[in-house]
Amino acid sequence: GHRVIHGVAGSGKTMILGYRAEYLARAQTPNSKPILILCYNEPLALKLESMMESKGLADRVHARNFHKWCRQQLVAFGQPIPSQGPGMFDAMVDNVIRGVQRQQIPSGQYQAVLIDEGHDFAPEWLTLVTQMVDPATDSLLLLYDDAQSIYERGRKKTFSFKSVGIQAQGRTTILKINYRNTRQILQTANAI
């Protein structure tokens, strides 16, 4: 089913995502659909991709930043790719959404979809990626922290997860402890 994990910075969200992807990949049968990891930040996607490669799982787990994944969908299914320039990324996302609506890009392509940095995903992006989960497995994991939204600071979550297709009622976990920093660092940061 669908699960949402909301956690503070340094609480282990990305580590949980990595271990979940590994667990699902190792439990796959030979003809299973791949697992998709999506995030907003390209360096994080490359780190996750490298992690899956080092575990010998790159053929079963695809880690991508959202816009790279959109471009790959357009190329793979012969959809128009917008030209370089302002608005290119938005146009690319719109082309994928329209391609799925017209059934020119298939939904249900992945055994599971795991989303890191969900706080940086627009509602229409979440609606799109929830459609990519195979209905037979219905496996979706969303990790987010509103306080970490780097790219669109002004955007507050003004939608419900249910409204974008995420059915995680009763399957939400909140991680409150930061394991990344020492107590002294946290106390100094809080004082500032």
Side-chain angles (χ1 to χ4, degrees):
H2 297 188
R3 179 167 291 279
V4 173
I5 298 178
H6 183 184
V8 299
S11 61
K13 296 181 301 293
T14 300
M15 184 175 68
I16 290 169
L17 179 137
Y19 281 117
R20 177 71 177 157
E22 180 181 0
Y23 170 81
L24 291 171
R26 295 198 188 283
Q28 282 184 326
T29 60
N31 295 326
S32 293
K33 294 178 179 181
I35 294 160
L36 176 65
I37 296 175
L38 285 176
C39 55
Y40 186 87
N41 184 308
E42 189 170 9
L44 177 59
L46 293 173
K47 177 185 173 186
L48 290 165
E49 183 177 41
S50 174
M51 181 189 315
M52 293 302 129
E53 284 175 8
S54 72
K55 295 176 185 233
L57 301 172
D59 59 328
R60 293 180 266 174
V61 180
H62 304 165
R64 305 284 186 269
N65 88 307
F66 179 73
H67 290 100
K68 180 177 182 178
W69 174 79
C70 285
R71 187 175 198 296
Q72 289 175 337
Q73 290 290 301
L74 295 174
V75 169
F77 297 102
Q79 300 299 301
I81 299 171
S83 55
Q84 296 276 339
M88 177 191 74
F89 290 117
D90 291 338
M92 205 163 39
V93 173
D94 289 342
N95 287 357
V96 175
I97 290 170
R98 282 196 305 277
V100 172
Q101 288 170 343
R102 292 188 305 257
Q103 299 180 346
Q104 294 170 328
I105 297 175
S107 59
Q109 294 180 40
Y110 300 95
Q111 173 191 336
V113 174
L114 294 81
I115 304 164
D116 203 352
E117 303 179 315
H119 46 267
D120 286 316
F121 278 53
E124 57 273 14
W125 300 6
L126 293 171
T127 299
L128 171 63
V129 297
T130 58
Q131 296 173 69
M132 292 296 129
V133 179
D134 185 342
T137 58
D138 198 30
S139 182
L140 181 127
L141 175 64
L142 171 72
L143 301 117
Y144 80 102
D145 176 10
D146 285 335
Q148 288 186 24
S149 186
I150 298 169
Y151 300 99
E152 294 208 25
R153 290 191 184 276
R155 177 170 51 198
K156 294 286 184 200
K157 186 176 162 287
T158 57
F159 60 93
S160 70
F161 287 129
K162 188 175 183 178
S163 73
V164 296
I166 298 172
Q167 305 297 320
Q169 188 171 2
R171 291 184 303 274
T172 299
T173 303
I174 300 174
L175 305 175
K176 297 178 182 178
I177 300 173
N178 176 325
Y179 295 99
R180 188 181 297 153
N181 299 310
T182 64
R183 183 179 308 277
Q184 294 83 0
I185 291 171
L186 289 173
Q187 287 171 339
T188 302
N190 285 332
I192 293 172

